[in-house]
Amino acid sequence: MSIHLFDLTGKRALVTGSSQGIGYALARGLADAGAEVILNGRDAVKLKAAAESLGASHALAFDATDHAAVRTAIDTFEAETGAIDILVNNAGMQHRTPLEDFPADAFERLMKTNVSTVFNVGQAVARHMIKRGAGKIVNIASVQTALARPGIAPYTATKGAVANLTKGMATDWAKYGLQCNAIAPGYFDTPLNAALVSDPAFSAWLEKRTPAGRWGNVEELVGACIFLSSGASSFVNGHILYVDGGITASL
């Protein structure tokens, strides 16, 4: 297989929620593969610092939960700068509380941040991709797309929704030349998981539960993202790619 299948030279990639953690790592990996990267986040100061650190060409600040703001930002960028060839929908959040005590406002925030953002940015970018007859959308799901743990039932619900929205995107948009897939990370050492990483009991449980016997490193998600963003995945659509050290494969 030609190495050029994974070459992203000449492509432009938008990664939401990319000022830290998984989003930042994926943006860096896409840049290393040749893509021109657009970082996104709500905090303009934090976003600027991340863009300077990465040497990214663009920092596009908008609130991905705001449908109108997303549409304006994407349409303006496309008109003034050029095509967005790759979209990585990475924006997300977590809230841990037993389900019987889970606050309603926290549930709504999770839905808006983890699900509405995928719809908002996905739709805004896809409208342009459809006109061009080509595009790659990679949504970030989770091991919780398939499995549940105590205290995060609403998060699990959002990530199940991301997987099915991904399948819906593929079903509606494959005929226009788009490939829409998702990466489902297992347990990775990120700011979102800081409380768990610092808990010796949880880390011990995770190492025993995961066949690979350890936390994942965010760089280990890059290969999957490049694959789903490149010509190597030209006939892959509606797929959920688990990158989890084997945790969903074992009891």
Side-chain angles (χ1 to χ4, degrees):
M1 182 177 290
S2 170
I3 192 172
H4 297 296
L5 282 176
F6 301 92
D7 184 8
L8 300 179
T9 301
K11 301 296 184 181
R12 189 177 288 116
L14 167 63
V15 184
T16 66
S18 48
S19 59
Q20 66 178 10
I22 288 174
Y24 182 83
L26 295 181
R28 182 174 58 197
L30 293 172
D32 287 344
E36 180 182 333
V37 174
I38 311 159
L39 296 188
N40 160 259
R42 285 182 288 192
D43 186 331
V45 174
K46 191 174 181 180
L47 185 63
K48 182 181 178 183
E52 290 175 351
S53 173
L54 184 63
S57 302
H58 310 281
L60 193 57
F62 61 79
D63 181 353
T65 68
D66 184 332
H67 186 271
V70 169
R71 181 75 182 273
T72 298
I74 297 302
D75 289 352
T76 300
F77 185 91
E78 285 261 350
E80 296 181 354
T81 305
I84 297 171
D85 306 292
I86 301 160
L87 166 63
V88 180
N89 272 313
N90 168 76
M93 66 170 292
Q94 176 63 287
H95 187 102
R96 297 180 176 92
T97 304
L99 185 57
E100 64 273 19
D101 299 319
F102 210 93
D105 61 340
F107 180 87
E108 295 299 330
R109 280 197 305 274
L110 273 173
M111 292 300 296
K112 287 183 66 176
T113 304
N114 294 357
V115 182
S116 296
T117 58
V118 176
F119 167 76
N120 291 343
V121 188
Q123 183 189 67
V125 172
R127 283 173 167 159
H128 295 278
M129 290 177 169
I130 287 168
K131 294 174 186 176
R132 291 188 288 269
K136 298 280 188 174
I137 296 178
V138 181
N139 299 324
I140 303 304
S142 168
V143 67
Q144 263 76 50
T145 296
L147 302 172
R149 281 195 67 252
I152 57 169
Y155 179 85
T156 301
T158 66
K159 291 304 183 177
V162 169
N164 272 349
L165 184 51
T166 300
K167 294 175 184 179
M169 287 177 170
T171 301
D172 277 13
W173 296 337
K175 63 187 176 185
Y176 299 117
L178 278 62
Q179 285 88 50
C180 307
N181 297 286
I183 298 171
Y187 284 89
F188 282 75
D189 186 351
T190 68
L192 200 66
N193 285 329
L196 300 180
V197 173
S198 63
D199 182 346
F202 184 88
S203 286
W205 170 84
L206 178 67
E207 290 165 7
K208 184 177 179 180
R209 174 67 179 80
T210 306
R214 62 176 175 84
W215 286 89
N217 300 311
V218 289
E219 291 76 15
E220 293 176 294
L221 292 166
V222 171
C225 190
I226 291 172
F227 166 63
L228 294 177
S229 300
S230 71
S233 58
S234 60
F235 202 57
V236 180
N237 235 328
H239 181 67
I240 314 302
L241 176 55
Y242 285 87
V243 184
D244 64 2
I247 197 168
T248 54
S250 66
L251 291 172

